[in-house]
Each structure stands twice: as structure tokens, then as C-alpha cells.
Amino acid sequence: MDPVVAEGLRISGLSYVLIFVVLGIFYGLIKLLLRIFPRRDDSA
Amino acid sequence: MSELLRGIIGMSDWRVWAMFGVGLALIWLAVKKEYEPNLLLPMGFGCLLANIPFSSAVGGGFLDVLFKGGITNELFPILIFIGVGAMIDFGPLLQDPEMLFFGAAAQFGIFFTMMLALLVGRIPGIMGIPGLREAAAIGIIGAADGPTSIYVATRFAPALLAPITVAAYSYMSLVPIIQPPVIRALTTREERMIRMENPEREVSKTVKVIFPIAVTLIAGIIAPMSVALIGSLMFGNLLRESGVTERLSKAAQNELTSLVTILLGITIGSSMGGRQFLNPTTLLIIAMGLIAFVFDTAGGVLFAKLINLFRKRKINPMIGACGISAFPMSARVIQKMAQQEDGSNFIIMHAVGANVAGQIASIIAGGLILALVR
């Protein structure tokens, strides 16, 4: 395989997986925030 | 006398006429079809200004000054993001954080198109062989997010900036035409009629204030190249959600966004010189932009169908298509499609949540590409 194409494939795959990982972290963050601050709190 | 005649003589170049046609077509799309008029109209006029023979607007003129001061240094897309952040309500996403994953899935078109550009570039005689950087800049059209496309293209392929921007904004405005046939091809009527309960959960103001700060810090630490993009988006959102900077939030949403959109549009239009724009590569980029949007949509829908295999309470797979960043157009399109199948089906809250997630995911995608592609 052309080395540039192979590198492109590696970066594409890695980037796509990493997007899920980063957004998965945000998912955990939101869940945590909702647990810590469960109700409407307009005084913040 | 020759000074007066040289403009008329310059009109003998067919490319001038062709680019006048392109500029007028953009203005027509903006005025008659109302396709992204705030951007396509300034772009169309900028294109006219740049292609008038011996135009004083370019070649050291005010449009060149704007290009160097706002595009080359990536200032305009960053300022636009502050305004976009101030306009976005992350509430629907915070109420239903699972929607984040649809934002991730619907970035598939970026990487599919990046690979396609690399492969097409290797067919002799079709396209100048693009390296990874050019292919990534073409692929980022699939972010369905104008400022991110401009930001990445400016860094990786400044010569391709104009066609990439035209493709990104044109297809964003064509989402109501592009997405429905792709969704219909990949889903059954029963799937499109799936109802989803609206999340009842209230989100506290504290969560809304902490969210943009925490996302900036986390994304910035993981992918420092994304700090400018995600940081400006989240800064705008913090202005909105803090509740103490209403004047600044409104200024970001209105005056800042309007002013920078004018400058951004006319400046991008000015980069559409006939010599650079009229070549087969431009046509290929515009074709690949469409492919990027199609595969974004397909990626989101198929991901929703995949996770439905493991869920008791099914997700309407059309929600997956909202993971593209074209906000809020995509969410509206999906709600309309849901109601075409079942007039009493309301999935708009989930659709907006996925759509907002797409905004975040597209920026993360841009940051990762900037970090990984050398």
C-alpha cells in the first residue's frame, strides 16, 4: 500500500476512535455534574 | 488612456467571465434561494471584487489586508466561534448526554472523504497528488462546520481554502436536500416512527456554567491544537450561561457575529481568483464535499441502528443524522421527517442534543486532525 495512504488510514482510524474517547469523557463529566448538582440551582 | 482601457482589455480573459458567473451564482443562491445568505452573499460579492481585472480591492488592496489580518492568522473563524458559542444552548445535550456519541459517529464523513481524496489524488492525471495535509483539509468539509473548515484549510491547504469554504457552506445550506434521501435509504418507516421520551431532568445553572469550563480544560489538555476552537466556542457559551454578562453575550451573538461574518465572507470571496479557482481540483473538492455530508449522515444513522441492537428502549435512528454539526438545520430536518411519518411524534429535543453534540465533535475532530497530521 502507498505509504501516504497507509498513514492516512492510520490517522483517520485513530482520530475517529479518539473522538469517541473524548466525547465519552464528556459523557462521564456530564453524568458526574448531574449527580453532584442534581436539581435546578439558580443561586449559583 | 491605456490606464482606462486595461480593465476592458482584461475582460478578454474567459476566466474573468467564468468567475463573474460564480460570484453572481453565489449571490443568486443567497438572494433567491436564501441558502446561507449571510455568508454566500458577501462571498459572491467578494468574488466579483477580486476578479474585476486590475481590481484595487486585491493585490495589496483592502481585501488583501483583511485576508492577512483575519484569515491567514485564523482570527475570523475564532471570533465567529465566540458568537456561535453564545448562541448555543447546551441544555438539551446536558439533559440527555448519550446524544454525544451521535455527534462522534456522524464525523465519519470527514475520514471517509480524507481517504477518498488521498486515493483519487493517486489516479494519474485526475488531480494533483495531495499529501495528507491537503486530503485532511478536504475531508474536514465533513465537519459541516464552516469555521472549523476554514481553520484547518488555512493551516493545511491555503491554496484550497476558497473551494473548501464554498463547499462547506453550500452543503450546510443544502442539508434539507442531502440528508432525507440518505436517511430514507438506510431506515425503514417503522424505524423512522420510533418515539422517544423527552428527558424530564432539569439541569441546574451550576452545571451549565461548569460545563464549558470543564470541556475547554479537558479538550485542551487532550488535544492542545483544539484550544483555540473549543476555547472560543466555550467562552461564548460561558458568556451566555453565566447570567452576569448578558450585554457581552448579546454582543457576541449579534454585533460580533454579524461584523465578522461580513468580513469573513467578503474576504473568502476575494480568494476566489480565476487562476486558482477554475481547475478540476475545485470541482473534485465540491464533489467530495457532498460525499462527506452523505457519509456523515450515514455514519450517524448506522451507529444509531447498531446501538439499537443492544437497547431495550430504541432510539429513532434519524437522531444519528443530527450528529453532523450543521446546527440547527439538521435537527429541524429530522423533526420534520419524523412528523411526516407520524404527525404526533416529537423528537426535537433529542435531535437538538445530537446536533449540539455534533458541534463539539466537529471541533474535536478538527483539533485531532491538526494534532495528528504532519
Side-chain angles (χ1 to χ4, degrees):
Chain A
M1 190 189 279
D2 183 306
V4 180
V5 175
E7 178 68 357
L9 200 56
R10 187 187 71 80
I11 289 173
S12 296
L14 180 62
S15 300
Y16 197 47
V17 170
L18 283 176
I19 293 171
F20 278 93
V21 172
V22 174
L23 293 196
I25 294 170
F26 293 165
Y27 174 80
L29 168 75
I30 295 172
K31 285 283 193 188
L32 184 68
L33 288 174
L34 291 175
R35 183 167 293 181
I36 298 172
F37 307 102
R39 285 175 293 130
R40 181 167 286 284
D41 169 21
D42 287 327
S43 62
Chain B
M1 190 65 181
S2 62
E3 188 66 24
L4 291 174
L5 284 176
R6 66 178 186 156
I8 297 168
I9 293 167
M11 293 299 294
S12 61
D13 187 343
W14 67 272
R15 284 172 295 212
V16 172
W17 291 97
M19 290 312 296
F20 280 3
V22 172
L24 291 171
L26 291 175
I27 294 171
W28 180 79
L29 285 172
V31 175
K32 291 296 281 185
K33 298 287 182 183
E34 294 189 27
Y35 289 164
E36 293 282 344
N38 291 336
L39 207 90
L40 292 191
L41 194 143
M43 274 176 76
F45 202 79
C47 176
L48 295 180
L49 290 180
N51 285 283
I52 294 170
F54 307 102
S55 167
S56 64
V58 289
F62 82 102
L63 290 175
D64 277 356
V65 173
L66 287 175
F67 197 90
K68 287 182 189 132
I71 303 290
T72 309
N73 59 13
E74 300 140 4
L75 179 65
F76 288 165
I78 295 297
L79 293 177
I80 289 275
F81 263 133
I82 295 176
V84 172
M87 289 181 213
I88 288 183
D89 176 8
F90 284 117
L93 176 65
L94 295 171
Q95 286 178 318
D96 192 5
E98 281 183 7
M99 295 298 119
L100 275 167
F101 296 105
F102 297 112
Q107 306 307 311
F108 180 68
I110 296 176
F111 306 106
F112 182 88
T113 309
M114 180 176 158
M115 291 310 302
L116 185 70
L118 276 177
L119 292 170
V120 170
R122 264 134 195 87
I123 301 172
I126 288 196
M127 187 177 175
I129 296 176
L132 267 177
R133 293 164 72 88
E134 290 81 6
I138 295 168
I140 205 70
I141 297 170
D145 179 358
T148 301
S149 298
I150 293 168
Y151 192 84
V152 174
T154 304
R155 291 212 169 187
F156 280 176
L160 305 179
L161 177 63
I164 286 171
T165 307
V166 169
Y169 278 102
S170 302
Y171 293 132
M172 277 164 61
S173 67
L174 291 174
V175 157
I177 296 167
I178 296 169
Q179 287 206 304
V182 180
I183 294 168
R184 284 198 193 95
L186 295 172
T187 56
T188 62
R189 185 160 186 266
E190 287 69 34
E191 286 175 324
R192 294 195 294 275
M193 289 175 72
I194 292 175
R195 287 169 176 259
M196 295 173 70
E197 278 178 31
N198 279 332
E200 298 292 327
R201 184 167 37 207
E202 287 283 339
V203 177
S204 71
K205 182 181 163 187
T206 310
V207 172
K208 288 190 169 183
V209 170
I210 293 174
F211 181 70
I213 299 169
V215 165
T216 304
L217 294 176
I218 293 169
I221 291 165
I222 294 172
M225 290 297 284
S226 69
V227 169
L229 291 169
I230 198 86
S232 53
L233 182 85
M234 292 301 168
F235 170 60
N237 190 251
L238 185 60
L239 290 178
R240 173 197 178 97
E241 300 298 350
S242 68
V244 292
T245 52
E246 195 180 346
R247 190 166 55 86
L248 300 187
S249 171
K250 286 215 161 70
Q253 290 177 46
N254 300 306
E255 289 83 359
L256 178 67
T257 302
S258 300
L259 183 62
V260 180
T261 301
I262 292 171
L263 299 179
L264 181 74
I266 200 166
T267 310
I268 293 286
S270 77
S271 69
M272 296 166 68
R275 281 180 202 282
Q276 303 90 40
F277 196 81
L278 291 173
N279 56 57
T281 306
T282 297
L283 290 177
L284 270 167
I285 288 171
I286 288 173
M288 283 192 271
L290 176 60
I291 291 167
F293 273 63
V294 167
F295 278 86
D296 278 343
T297 305
V301 171
L302 293 176
F303 179 74
K305 289 178 69 133
L306 176 71
I307 61 170
N308 269 349
L309 296 176
F310 308 99
R311 285 175 63 102
K312 256 188 184 169
R313 291 167 70 181
K314 306 293 182 196
I315 287 172
N316 188 318
M318 292 197 295
I319 292 294
C322 295
I324 72 168
S325 172
F327 178 84
M329 187 92 76
S330 186
R332 284 188 201 143
V333 168
I334 273 38
Q335 173 57 31
K336 195 175 164 193
M337 285 185 75
Q339 290 203 300
Q340 279 170 353
E341 305 292 358
D342 173 357
S344 60
N345 192 4
F346 292 93
I347 55 172
I348 186 73
M349 284 297 281
H350 301 277
V352 170
N355 216 176
V356 170
Q359 182 76 59
I360 297 175
S362 66
I363 296 175
I364 299 296
L368 287 170
I369 284 175
L370 286 170
L372 292 173
V373 176
R374 295 278 161 223

